[in-house]
Amino acid sequence: MSSWTFILGILLLATLVCAYSSSECYVKIKEDIHHEGDVVIGAFFPIHIVYTINKILHPSLVHYFKDFHLQYNFRNYEFLLALVFAVEEINRNPYLLSNISLGFDFYNLPYNEIQILMNAAIWLTGMSNPLSNYNCGKENKAAAVITGTSWKTSAHIGTLLQLYKFPQLTFGPFDPMLSDQSQFSSVYQMAPKDTFLSLAIVSLMLHFHWTWVGLLLPDDHRGTEILGDLREKMESTRVCIAFVEMIPGTWTLFSNKFWKNLGKIQESLANVIIIYGDTDSLQGLMRNLGQQFLTRKVWVMNSQWDVTNHADYFMIDSFHGSLIFKHYHEEMLGFTNFIRTVNPYKYPEDNYLPKLWYLFFKCPLSGLDCQLLETCQPNASLEDLPRHIFNMAMSEESYNIYKAVHAVAHSLHEISLQQVQLQPNENGKAIEFFPWQLHHFLRKINVDHNMALDWKQKIDAEYDILNFWNFPKGLGLKVKVGTFSSNAPQHQQLLLDEQMIKWPETFSEIPHSVCSDSCGPGFRKAALEGKAVCCYDCTPCPDNEISNETDVDQCVKCPADHFANMEKNQCLQKIVSFLAHEDPLGAIFTSIALCFSSLTAVVLGVFVRHKHTPIVKANNRSLSYTLLITLTICFLCPLLFIGRPNTITCILQQITFGGAFTVALATVLAKAITVIIAFRVTFPGRVVRWLIVSRAPNFIIPFCSLIQIVLCGIWLGTSPPFLDQDPHVEYGHIIIVCNKGSAIAFHCVLGYLCFLALGSYIMAFLSRNLPNTFNEAKFLSFSMLVFFCVWVTFLPVYHSTKGKVMVAMEVFSILASSAALLGFIFAPKCYIILLRPDKNSLHYMREINHSRRSNILKT
């Protein structure tokens, strides 16, 4: 490495030898270019480098090798043309620096720290062997220095010029180290700050949903700074870094490390890789990546990279489809027209133009001075070169050089105006100034709306987003596809024309760059332990929760009146459900209730029609009428349970049900007691006759009903039934039900009915063996047994069901128990009345009694 540096330094100090395929030019060639003027600006930046492959000494020239090569950087040569264009424009302007011509001294800078300082010292002193504080042979005034393209170059020169407070303007890239006023108080950075570059890049990632990206950064303070800024912006927006590769500044050292990790970069799921750096720090990276067939990656980078330095191994370029962030600057149409007129005959002092004409237009060169021998292709122009070799549009750095020259010119103009005001009679005298006097004016000049010379100013950034088209290889177009403006509203900062973007040929659509596939609607992200937040699993949303977007962290629970669909991506309105008349079950119960109530009314009509017959009289027709009327009401009670409930029906349901069944059971109890009194009591005949004649058992009905009324009153007074909704019983439905209010009161009412049924059953059971003639004791006992069994079974089934089924269970119990009373008590009587009228007579009763008495006497 040391021998290579030494040889390169010797070559650049002494001469440049042009070695081409068919001719050789072994003479000393000047690397500097001088444009005369009353005031000159120094310019230092590299245009070419010299390297050798076979280190064989030249046979006749000492210190020269026989086979070495000169490599031009055509992108940097545009910087020299921008300098010439700006100087000529100022000299043509009669209102700027009148009677004063502006010139420049250009020096090519090699990649050698010693030679960089040597060239700066030679220019500063005017001596080939510079001595400190001497200025020999310089008739014109040196005003300022323009440096680039590396912060190291500017820092080296700035260290020397700082001693003399000599103004130094750097055209890029912007570097925070050069903003340190304690070290570089005479340095002015023309390049805009990259304060918002990280925000612009992350905004692009979010726009295309790229959450898994790689980083290739220079291994210096700029790489560390941009890494911290990017990491902060990415973490706040959940964009993850797949890998970070810090690139050494020396490309030979870079190669050894890069080749080891190249496989990881190729195999990474990150299809988007961010590259940040300048021409110097990226030259090794671009050279290596250009030799790889990496068409599966999208490169996102800043504008300080060189597309002319790629290897031409494939027709498809590795960087085709890249996205480039470039600071916005105004279009310079005059510069494009100026480029068209540039040729070796217009600028004979330019030592580089003849080499370009030789390389690209096949013009013969002189073997003595490397100048063109004869005119060839008079219409030849740099415009004819392929775009990947020479781009006609003014680059960002060229624009900064243009503005730097104008900044110096305006400062000189201000100084000349002051001198004219102080010495009005000496207008023709040349301007007299010291370079340090320019500082006062340079700090005041606002060069552009997005750059300022004053390092303290805060500047809003506006970027153009360029898409690099290089398919087929050599197209070399940088097409503007969008913008980013930091001072725009948040959702309008990034503007893109996606239809204009050309992606790498591997991708037929917008590339994906994610660690895990997106979780679609109905799923949520589940973090993986030890992995980045961008790496996750997809799990379905829990019950009654949805996600209608991709990559959600948490599912959203549906409101109580909604439910999640099967895909769990939408909440649907729940269907209001109740035991309606239109439902099959509701229609059946309604039909049964109406039929049985009508049947009960018919039975009542039969009893009224045959009220004077013995069987109706013997079974206490008033109690029979009361029971039949009550049973009719009992059969109609289910109609209150069917249909959309409301607060009134909720109260009437239980009160009507409890009251009607209390009357019915009390009537049955009165019937049973009547039978007991008539056949089993041992009281004297007068007492029995009084009990029967006074109809004392009938008072059981109001007494028992009064107790139920008190219970219902307490129920309504403390916690009455109310309308309620149950959204959880049936999926997708809201069940409208009547809440019982007080469960204790409801069970007391129901328990009281069962107590009456049990009492009636006992009374009827005691009279089961009495004479059968018109005796209904057995039928009463059967009816009470069925009633008791129905409601005892009802309780556990009722509490194990919900919603409409629970209501249907209560309706069924009402209908079943009412039908049991009607069937067991009145069916036998109707049979005798309607089908066996011969048994419904006193004659039949006497025969039956006479036969029973004869049997008793015989026994």
Side-chain angles (χ1 to χ4, degrees):
M1 179 63 190
S2 59
S3 61
W4 162 250
T5 305
F6 173 77
I7 293 171
L8 182 59
I10 294 297
L11 290 175
L12 292 175
L13 271 170
T15 184
L16 284 178
V17 177
C18 306
Y20 303 109
S21 59
S22 61
S23 65
E24 295 183 350
C25 178
Y26 300 116
V27 294
K28 293 183 178 180
I29 301 175
K30 295 175 60 178
E31 292 184 297
D32 55 324
I33 300 176
H34 302 282
H35 185 87
E36 297 298 328
D38 298 328
V39 181
V40 297
I41 299 174
F44 298 87
F45 47 82
I47 290 182
H48 65 265
I49 61 172
V50 176
Y51 64 95
T52 182
I53 299 177
N54 300 317
K55 298 181 180 181
I56 304 175
L57 291 174
H58 194 273
S60 59
L61 297 177
V62 183
H63 303 303
Y64 291 93
F65 293 99
K66 184 176 181 180
D67 184 16
F68 65 90
H69 300 267
L70 182 145
Q71 180 178 354
Y72 284 100
N73 190 322
F74 301 108
R75 178 176 180 270
N76 288 7
Y77 181 70
E78 183 191 287
F79 304 161
L80 178 59
L81 296 179
L83 178 64
V84 175
F85 170 72
V87 169
E88 290 185 353
E89 184 180 72
I90 292 171
N91 289 335
R92 289 195 306 267
N93 189 347
Y95 304 104
L96 184 63
L97 291 180
S98 57
N99 300 325
I100 299 173
S101 63
L102 187 65
F104 66 85
D105 293 330
F106 166 75
Y107 287 83
N108 179 72
L109 289 184
Y111 294 97
N112 184 292
E113 298 176 1
I114 298 176
Q115 189 59 39
I116 289 174
L117 290 175
M118 181 63 70
N119 285 352
I122 291 174
W123 176 81
L124 189 63
T125 63
M127 304 171 65
S128 58
N129 293 317
L131 297 176
S132 299
N133 301 324
Y134 278 80
N135 187 350
C136 301
K138 294 184 71 69
E139 297 178 357
N140 46 22
K141 291 286 186 178
V145 166
I146 299 176
T147 61
T149 58
S150 167
W151 73 272
K152 292 181 180 180
T153 300
S154 299
H156 291 323
I157 297 177
T159 303
L160 175 62
L161 298 183
Q162 177 72 20
L163 300 176
Y164 304 97
K165 296 184 179 180
F166 206 95
Q168 177 185 356
L169 293 85
T170 67
F171 59 86
F174 185 90
D175 191 274
M177 183 173 291
L178 297 178
S179 297
D180 186 356
Q181 294 296 295
S182 62
Q183 298 185 50
F184 304 101
S185 60
S186 299
V187 174
Y188 302 91
Q189 299 196 68
M190 304 303 297
K193 296 180 180 180
D194 282 329
T195 307
F196 297 96
L197 180 61
S198 297
L199 178 61
I201 292 176
V202 173
S203 299
L204 182 70
M205 303 296 109
L206 295 176
H207 178 82
F208 289 114
H209 306 287
W210 293 333
T211 59
W212 192 243
V213 299
L215 298 180
L216 297 178
L217 309 174
D219 192 9
D220 55 22
H221 64 282
R222 296 170 305 146
T224 303
E225 182 179 16
I226 194 69
L227 175 60
D229 201 10
L230 280 172
R231 194 186 299 274
E232 179 184 356
K233 297 291 191 302
M234 288 180 175
E235 287 179 354
S236 63
T237 54
R238 294 203 170 185
V239 178
C240 300
I241 299 176
F243 59 85
V244 179
E245 286 295 330
M246 306 302 290
I247 311 303
T250 305
W251 71 273
T252 53
L253 295 177
F254 157 78
S255 299
N256 297 330
K257 180 181 179 181
F258 179 75
W259 285 109
K260 296 179 181 179
N261 297 323
L262 182 60
K264 297 180 181 178
I265 296 176
Q266 290 177 322
E267 296 173 2
S268 174
L269 293 176
N271 291 325
V272 176
I273 299 177
I274 300 171
I275 302 177
Y276 177 83
D278 55 30
T279 302
D280 291 348
S281 63
L282 294 183
Q283 62 172 328
L285 174 66
M286 294 305 176
R287 184 182 299 274
N288 280 273
L289 292 180
Q291 296 174 4
Q292 310 303 314
F293 193 59
L294 299 178
T295 58
R296 298 190 304 273
K297 304 297 180 184
V298 178
W299 311 96
V300 178
M301 56 192 74
N302 59 330
S303 61
Q304 283 84 24
W305 63 287
D306 186 10
V307 300
T308 66
N309 205 22
H310 302 165
D312 297 325
Y313 293 109
F314 302 102
M315 183 179 69
I316 300 177
D317 183 58
S318 296
F319 294 97
H320 172 69
S322 299
L323 296 172
I324 307 165
F325 282 86
K326 185 192 75 169
H327 285 283
Y328 169 80
H329 63 78
E330 60 181 331
E331 296 293 334
M332 303 294 293
L333 297 179
F335 179 72
T336 304
N337 296 329
F338 164 75
I339 293 293
R340 292 191 180 100
T341 65
V342 171
N343 59 68
Y345 310 103
K346 182 179 180 181
Y347 298 99
E349 71 276 10
D350 191 333
N351 302 315
Y352 299 97
L353 284 175
K355 319 305 182 299
L356 297 181
W357 255 246
Y358 170 80
L359 287 174
F360 298 107
F361 303 116
K362 305 304 179 183
C363 296
L365 284 176
S366 169
L368 296 176
D369 57 2
C370 288
Q371 296 297 318
L372 297 181
L373 291 175
E374 58 185 21
T375 303
C376 68
Q377 299 187 23
N379 296 327
S381 170
L382 294 175
E383 185 181 15
D384 301 330
L385 298 181
R387 290 181 181 270
H388 75 286
I389 293 178
F390 193 89
N391 198 331
M392 296 289 290
M394 178 175 276
S395 66
E396 183 179 329
E397 293 87 347
S398 299
Y399 179 76
N400 295 338
I401 291 174
Y402 174 83
K403 289 298 184 181
V405 175
H406 274 266
V408 175
H410 281 82
S411 299
L412 291 172
H413 185 72
E414 293 293 330
I415 292 176
S416 66
L417 290 178
Q418 286 187 355
Q419 292 184 1
V420 169
Q421 292 175 358
L422 294 175
Q423 300 175 346
N425 296 327
E426 299 182 4
N427 292 338
K429 186 178 180 180
I431 184 173
E432 294 183 357
F433 68 96
F434 293 99
W436 54 264
Q437 292 178 304
L438 271 69
H439 290 298
H440 175 73
F441 302 97
L442 287 173
R443 291 191 177 97
K444 290 183 177 180
I445 296 176
N446 189 359
V447 179
D448 194 62
H449 72 280
N450 67 342
M451 73 173 72
L453 288 178
D454 189 351
W455 61 275
K456 294 181 180 179
Q457 293 189 29
K458 179 177 177 61
I459 304 168
D460 291 329
E462 187 171 351
Y463 293 92
D464 286 336
I465 302 175
L466 308 180
N467 187 213
F468 183 51
W469 296 0
N470 204 30
F471 177 76
K473 181 80 172 183
L475 183 62
L477 290 177
K478 289 183 180 179
V479 181
K480 182 178 177 180
V481 295
T483 59
F484 177 86
S485 180
S486 61
N487 56 1
Q490 184 175 4
H491 298 291
Q492 300 176 11
Q493 291 179 331
L494 182 70
L495 299 176
L496 281 175
D497 185 358
E498 295 185 14
Q499 303 298 325
M500 289 285 293
I501 298 178
K502 302 293 184 183
W503 301 109
E505 292 301 312
T506 306
F507 301 105
S508 58
E509 56 184 11
I510 297 176
H512 295 283
S513 187
V514 294
C515 179
S516 301
D517 292 333
S518 297
C519 296
F523 293 84
R524 65 177 179 87
K525 296 191 295 186
L528 297 176
E529 186 176 356
K531 299 288 186 179
V533 295
C534 300
C535 303
Y536 47 81
D537 282 335
C538 297
T539 58
C541 289
D543 292 339
N544 207 37
E545 293 187 12
I546 67 161
S547 64
N548 54 8
E549 298 178 356
T550 58
D551 293 337
V552 298
D553 295 321
Q554 297 294 334
C555 298
V556 180
K557 191 175 184 63
C558 289
D561 58 344
H562 287 71
F563 71 100
N565 60 354
M566 297 301 296
E567 293 78 15
K568 296 186 178 180
N569 59 4
Q570 187 179 4
C571 286
L572 303 178
Q573 181 74 38
K574 287 186 176 181
I575 300 174
V576 177
S577 180
F578 51 87
L579 188 60
H581 295 286
E582 296 80 9
D583 291 343
L585 196 59
I588 293 173
F589 284 146
T590 300
S591 301
I592 293 175
L594 293 176
C595 291
F596 273 96
S597 60
S598 301
L599 180 61
T600 306
V602 171
V603 173
L604 177 61
V606 171
F607 267 61
V608 171
R609 183 180 178 84
H610 299 85
K611 60 183 179 180
H612 298 296
T613 59
I615 193 169
V616 174
K617 291 181 178 180
N619 288 280
N620 197 335
R621 60 187 174 187
S622 60
L623 291 179
S624 297
Y625 294 160
T626 303
L627 182 58
L628 288 171
I629 294 172
T630 305
L631 287 177
T632 303
I633 298 174
C634 290
F635 280 121
L636 295 176
C637 275
L639 299 181
L640 295 174
F641 291 84
I642 303 173
R644 188 184 185 98
N646 53 57
T647 303
I648 296 176
T649 57
C650 286
I651 294 176
L652 290 179
Q653 282 179 7
Q654 306 304 328
I655 300 304
T656 304
F657 156 70
F661 270 88
T662 299
V663 174
L665 293 176
T667 303
V668 174
L669 179 61
K671 276 179 164 290
I673 291 176
T674 301
V675 174
I676 293 293
I677 292 174
F679 292 96
R680 295 292 297 269
V681 297
T682 58
F683 294 106
R686 187 173 55 185
V687 175
V688 174
R689 188 180 301 109
W690 177 82
L691 290 174
I692 295 175
V693 173
S694 63
R695 298 183 179 181
N698 292 354
F699 291 100
I700 294 175
I701 298 174
F703 177 75
C704 293
S705 299
L706 180 63
I707 296 175
Q708 188 70 287
I709 291 173
V710 172
L711 290 176
C712 292
I714 296 174
W715 186 3
L716 296 178
T718 55
S719 180
F722 59 90
L723 188 66
D724 194 12
Q725 294 182 355
D726 194 341
H728 307 294
V729 173
E730 189 174 348
Y731 185 75
H733 292 75
I734 297 179
I735 306 299
I736 300 180
V737 294
C738 289
N739 193 301
K740 299 299 186 296
S742 174
I744 297 177
F746 172 72
H747 287 89
C748 288
V749 170
L750 193 60
Y752 181 69
L753 293 178
C754 292
F755 173 76
L756 290 178
L758 181 62
S760 300
Y761 173 75
I762 294 174
M763 291 295 104
F765 183 78
L766 293 177
S767 59
R768 68 187 185 283
N769 294 323
L770 294 176
N772 291 330
T773 305
F774 306 126
N775 181 15
E776 59 181 353
K778 291 182 180 180
F779 304 115
L780 293 177
S781 62
F782 277 117
S783 64
M784 290 300 98
L785 183 61
V786 172
F787 182 92
F788 188 77
C789 291
V790 167
W791 287 103
V792 169
T793 306
F794 162 80
L795 288 175
V797 177
Y798 178 81
H799 287 289
S800 63
T801 57
K802 297 290 184 181
K804 294 192 296 184
V805 179
M806 182 177 65
V807 177
M809 184 61 198
E810 187 170 1
V811 171
F812 173 78
S813 299
I814 292 173
L815 293 175
S817 56
S818 300
L821 292 177
L822 178 65
F824 283 104
I825 296 175
F826 293 100
K829 297 179 178 60
C830 290
Y831 172 76
I832 294 175
I833 292 173
L834 297 177
L835 300 180
R836 298 297 300 272
D838 55 312
K839 293 184 177 182
N840 189 15
S841 62
L842 292 176
H843 176 71
Y844 178 76
M845 291 178 61
R846 291 191 184 99
E847 288 182 354
I848 292 299
N849 292 332
H850 179 73
S851 175
R852 181 180 293 112
R853 191 177 299 112
S854 299
N855 292 332
I856 293 173
L857 291 175
K858 289 180 180 179
T859 57

